[in-house]
Amino acid sequence: MRSNTPVWFCWCLLGLSVVVWACEESDPPDAPCKLDCGKNGKCAIVTGAETCVCLEGYDGDGCASCADGYIKRGELCVLDPCTPNPCDKVHQGICVAQDDGYRCDCDEGAQDNDADGVCMPGCEMALRAGFEGQTCDDSSGDAVFTGLRSCDVTVRFDPGTESYNEIYIRGEFNEWEATYPLSADVDGTYFVTLSLSPGQYAYKFFVPQGERWFEDPSNPYFKYVDWQRNSRLIVPDCSQPYLRLMHRPLVEDGAIRFKVQYVDGSQGAGLAGSIEASRDDAPIQGAYDAASGVLSIEQSGLQPGKYLYRFRASDNAGRRSELLYVPVWVEEQSFDWRDAVMYFVLTDRFADGNPSNNAPSPDVDFKANWQGGDFAGLRAKLEAGYFDDLGVNAIWISSISQNTGGSGFGTDGRRYSAYHSYWPISTGWSWDQELTGVQPVDPHFGDLEEFKSLVQLAHSKGIRVLVDFVANHVHTDSPLWVAQQGANPPWFHVPAEVCEDIGWSKPIECWFANYLPDFEYRNAEVIDRVVAHALWLVQATGIDGFRLDAVKHMVDDFSFAVRAGIDRSLVFSGERFYMVGETFTGEDGVDLLKRYVNPMMLDGQFDFPLYWKLTKTLLREEEDLRALEGMTKWNDTVYGEWAIMSTFLGNHDVCRAVGQANGDFGDMWCNGGKEQGWNNPPRAPESPEPFAKLRLAWTFLFSTGGIPLIYYGDEFGMEGAGDPDNRKMMRFSGLTTPQAETLSHVQRLAAVRRAHPALSRGKRYTEFLDSNAWAYSMRDEDLGDSALVVLNRAATSRTFELDVSELDWDDGDTVRDAISEESITVSASKLSLKLEGRSSAVLTKE
């Protein structure tokens, strides 16, 4: 550890021993200095003023306090064994420093009542996970629910810093009267317990003082009464039995252990037979304790990958529990979405592995038609290691839902097929409601079992899989549209108004085309049906995330509901199901994107404002690098700590990045790009210059926070104008020299990003900046990791003399450039680096 304050001797703390040795730095100036700096500091004149120069580990007035990362032990400040926190076991993350080191205590709400050293949820934690009202006993070390299923439902409200003399819940269940007051709990929350018949009820909270009505801020479900939105109280049928995961699965050395409990319904009918248990669709056995209803699962010898456990049970009266889904990863190092590198596969245009499922639509031009890409082709590239070589650990796949086999007119008057998967007809398929006449997966791509096998293969390689979830609309060939056209309340926004025809003046209600009925999500029945479909997709296939299409064209209610449904299904699993939104915006779209990013909605969004700035500064070179640096100062943190945004240089809705760099388009918006793609599509650039610009942009993207997205083909600079020219079939061979160099560049960037988490999690510090050059460090103090990134946008070579004293790089240290693979030695806290025109470096300590 380096100290950033002047020191007059150096020392090292080893446990409680202090080793002191002489430093090369000279003593402080010999001048009158009267500050009392105690025995842990010395008064010195620094920049003309008296100051206390403290020993390493000491800080504050008179050097009497311990510096960050140190704690008092007797009269000494010693390294804090809890910084960084070494306690990383499930439910056991509280570190307590001790004289002989540290101990790890159970998290708040967890317990170790059986003293076996393993923390488990206590009753309060278990009940707060959606089971309040149930009786519970955790004296055995497990929070075991006792008795029959409770018919009570508890509504809880956290007022934050406010308090109320009176607050009521008023709703359909009491004819909106003030008959149910909330009581104050010891933790500062308010609650009320109700006994109601199964059903769904609209309600609001009411405070008499000021006649205030407001929705429940913690409830993600809504119900409309006379088209006015209210919170929705969902009261389940308490006679139905249920299954619950009792704790987060314990995984160690290829072994998995966890427990599931059967809780009998209020009628006490009893379990019929045994709990049905499977792993990856194959039946498994566990140890069942009939007295407690607890099923213990213990399996060992498992290879790396993700394992999908599913449980169901029935009682002797024939009532069936909901499916309990428990996904468990076996991997050497736990995954963090902040470290993801994502690749977008437009399935039909990636690789044709099975020509027998090719079925183009009649009367549609080849460019806008199905071209044969499928799951078999994607699987072949997975097996060949294409994604491993590229450093990808997350794949976003276009929607797998069945789409219409017909065609439709685009806004340009040409016929298009549904090769892109945005005209679904199997939306609504779920565990308990299959759809007649359609398949859950588009047959152009394969079948459900083939997709599940593909996901399993990706998981065996540690790769997460996201799918496009198209929830705004269906195609008129959808069974839901056919069955629900005359429903009251309506299932769709009718009569139809096409968005283009009305100038997008009604972005929620309008239809994207006259053959794409738009869901009316103010009808709770519609939300429930589509959320059930989303849950089926997750639980049947084991996918790890959604790219949620057209977020801004749906009421917020849907995003709340789908997040809540998935979170509820994953209670105690430890999984963070990643949901990233597609909200197409311009440069000023930060506020719109941000409103959806929070724990109750989305994990992140595709960062369109940053995309436009990168296009301007690095691809088109229309603004200098000071504009990009200025934006990152706020963009790096503007979305909040929860956010894991996705950054990109291209996708299927914009013109190709290398074309922007080559000047193929009149403006960065690529106006006229669709017609250009049809009539005069750009060719691959012959000059190396646009590829150099693209590589520079890739360096920035891979050295900034968020998940860098690679749109298929952009890893080497595939050409293309507007849709569908930007969606040509992927190429895996025949690359030109600049294209091959760009592919290699991306591979190296992904490798250094994986090895140095500061590039994905660190804070950015500008070290040098002018109009055509920018050097910045990425530093993660918690992990003790750092990297230095240098961008030279100038057309000619430049030599940089960079001060690296803040990076904890010492004289004599060797740093390596991940791009050139050259090594440089630090001298006098400086680093000398020569970069060719339009090139970059990513430097890390060897």
Side-chain angles (χ1 to χ4, degrees), residues 297-363:
I297 300 296
E298 294 190 20
Q299 298 193 305
S300 59
L302 301 174
Q303 296 300 308
K306 186 178 183 180
Y307 295 88
L308 311 181
Y309 293 87
R310 302 184 187 93
F311 302 88
R312 266 208 159 158
S314 298
D315 68 13
N316 286 310
R319 287 178 286 256
R320 193 124 169 99
S321 72
E322 292 182 12
L323 176 80
L324 176 64
Y325 170 67
V326 183
V328 186
W329 275 93
V330 174
E331 49 192 348
E332 289 185 9
Q333 186 173 355
S334 60
F335 176 82
D336 191 313
W337 280 102
R338 292 175 295 175
D339 301 326
V341 173
M342 186 158 58
Y343 192 97
F344 175 28
V345 172
L346 193 65
T347 307
D348 179 68
R349 303 300 172 87
F350 191 66
D352 186 356
N354 180 13
S356 68
N357 60 28
N358 295 358
S361 300
D363 303 322

Side-chain angles (χ1 to χ4, degrees), residues 34 43 103 170 188 234 290 304 359 410 490 525 527 677 693 730 734 738 810 824:
K34 299 178 180 179
C43 186
R103 72 171 188 270
R170 300 172 68 169
I234 301 173
E525 190 177 0
I527 280 191
K693 295 178 183 177
M730 175 66 173
D810 297 316
I824 305 172

Side-chain angles (χ1 to χ4, degrees), residues 220 222 224 229 521-522 527 554-562:
F222 303 96
Y224 288 77
R229 197 175 82 165
Y521 281 127
R522 289 173 293 182
I527 280 191
M554 299 178 286
V555 291
D556 296 351
D557 308 24
F558 179 78
S559 296
F560 279 117
V562 73

Side-chain angles (χ1 to χ4, degrees), residues 1 25 33 48 76 126 137 153 194 208 214 253 258 296 349 356 441 445 509 524 581 597 627 700 718 729 765 839:
M1 174 180 290
E25 287 99 333
C33 199
L76 296 176
D137 181 5
V153 58
L194 306 171
F214 54 94
D253 298 329
F258 62 92
S296 298
R349 303 300 172 87
S356 68
V441 171
F445 303 147
E509 294 85 359
V597 180
F700 174 85
M718 193 157 79
M729 185 61 80
Y765 298 88
S839 66

